[in-house]
Amino acid sequence: MLPVPLRTLNDGGVIPALGLGTAPLDDTRTEEAVAHGLRVGYRLIDTGAVYGNEGGVGRAVAAAEVPREEIRVLTKLPGRHHGYDATLAAFEESRGRLGLEYVDLYLIHWPLPRLDKYVDSWKALIRLREEGLVRSIGVSNFTAEHLDRLEKETGVLPAVNQIEMHPQLPQEELRAVHAEKGIVTLSYSPLGRGTGLVQDPAVAAVAAAHRVTPAQVILRWHLQLDAVPLPRSGDPTRRRDNLDVFGFELSAAELARVGDRARIRIGYDPESHEEF
Ligand SMILES: NC(=O)c1ccc[n+]([C@@H]2O[C@H](COP(=O)([O-])OP(=O)(O)OC[C@H]3O[C@@H](n4cnc5c(N)ncnc54)[C@H](OP(=O)(O)O)[C@@H]3O)[C@@H](O)[C@H]2O)c1
């Protein structure tokens, strides 16, 4: 298996080009998945306070033989703690559950525009970064308009925006905004979470041509669109295979074939979703 290349962030930090998803695995299954993931080469781990599995991530990181500085732990602020002081307090709780001195990436999980407190939370994240408790700060499920507001009101752009992305939701417009602003796209539900994408005949044909699995083709599609996919699997063999995607390349025609499908959003609409 080839090593995972690194991506440079707009704050000078680096993250691996592919990471490990954990939701909706419970705390115990997350600990097992992350411990195995770290053994086979994952170095970027995605979690969130609302997932209820930060403890499992922390235990796996603490027990791993991998040096802490090689690992990137990403966690997220829940909606119920939006606001400046509430964000600082929620971060401390997450850091405690993770058992870490510092968190590599801290993200606002959802913008909750109706609540209108995400700019205050963003200011708290800027402070956490200045204090060295967080290495890089970012957002999740933010639209172009939300990103613009952060930039206008604070002058600080997120290093990453974690968004739903897969061949049924390629996010061309938002990715163009990210490219212009130097924000790295992290793709969640990268395999299309149970929508049958991994069983799709067109994807299977491309996979057969490269002697790889359909999931590997889909992950390669993300990498070649400059996105950092965060696949989740409860299965050790699939988890390992999902990381083994750096030894082949899709042609432009294959990329188009994988992406040529009806648009489907699996998750929630960031403009209206309220998750506390
Ligand atoms: N920021 C957000 O709002 C947000 C929202 C959703 C998700 N996320 C993050 O993104 C991560 C991934 O998203 P997701 O879990 O929704 O979807 P996903 O990774 O696209 O799909 C997961 C599903 O794909 C299956 N799978 C994994 N590898 C496979 C392979 N090689 N071949 C066939 N099937 C495979 C898994 O089954 P098995 O377990 O049986 O392998 C599981 O059912 C989450 O774990 C979470 O960390 C973030």
Side-chain angles (χ1 to χ4, degrees), residues 21-24 46 51 76 109-110 140-141 162 188-194 198 215 230-235 238 242:
T22 60
D46 182 70
Y51 301 165
K76 312 185 193 86
H109 204 146
W110 288 91
S140 180
N141 297 298
Q162 184 181 136
Y188 75 71
S189 305
L191 299 172
R193 196 210 300 161
V198 281
L230 305 168
R232 174 254 314 177
S233 178
D235 177 83
R238 286 205 279 264
N242 291 347

Side-chain angles (χ1 to χ4, degrees), residues 91-251:
F91 171 76
E92 264 318 294
E93 286 177 19
S94 277
R95 197 167 72 91
R97 283 188 294 268
L98 287 162
L100 296 175
E101 272 180 42
Y102 65 89
V103 170
D104 299 275
L105 293 120
Y106 195 47
L107 274 52
I108 301 175
H109 204 146
W110 288 91
L112 289 95
R114 192 185 60 89
L115 205 66
D116 197 21
K117 289 187 180 173
Y118 65 81
V119 177
D120 293 335
S121 291
W122 185 243
K123 289 176 182 165
L125 263 59
I126 294 168
R127 172 169 162 186
L128 290 168
R129 190 180 62 180
E130 283 166 2
E131 288 177 348
L133 292 167
V134 176
R135 294 283 151 95
S136 294
I137 54 177
V139 293
S140 180
N141 297 298
F142 273 45
T143 65
E145 188 190 324
H146 305 140
L147 295 171
D148 256 358
R149 219 179 129 201
L150 294 186
E151 189 176 14
K152 285 203 181 90
E153 295 194 29
T154 69
V156 180
L157 277 167
V160 301
N161 187 12
Q162 184 181 136
I163 55 173
E164 179 181 339
M165 176 168 157
H166 41 74
Q168 297 157 146
L169 195 67
Q171 300 272 18
E172 293 99 335
E173 288 174 17
L174 194 46
R175 279 191 292 112
V177 171
H178 291 173
E180 189 197 310
K181 296 184 185 293
I183 298 170
V184 170
T185 306
L186 307 184
S187 331
Y188 75 71
S189 305
L191 299 172
R193 196 210 300 161
T195 50
L197 196 59
V198 281
Q199 286 89 30
D200 180 85
V203 176
V206 175
H210 288 274
R211 296 173 193 265
V212 297
T213 68
Q216 287 171 323
V217 165
I218 298 165
L219 294 170
R220 194 67 222 172
W221 174 90
H222 287 269
L223 296 169
Q224 291 185 223
L225 293 183
D226 275 341
V228 173
L230 305 168
R232 174 254 314 177
S233 178
D235 177 83
T237 305
R238 286 205 279 264
R239 205 181 295 128
R240 178 191 278 268
D241 286 352
N242 291 347
L243 195 63
D244 190 8
V245 290
F246 298 96
F248 70 103
E249 189 144 347
L250 303 178
S251 66

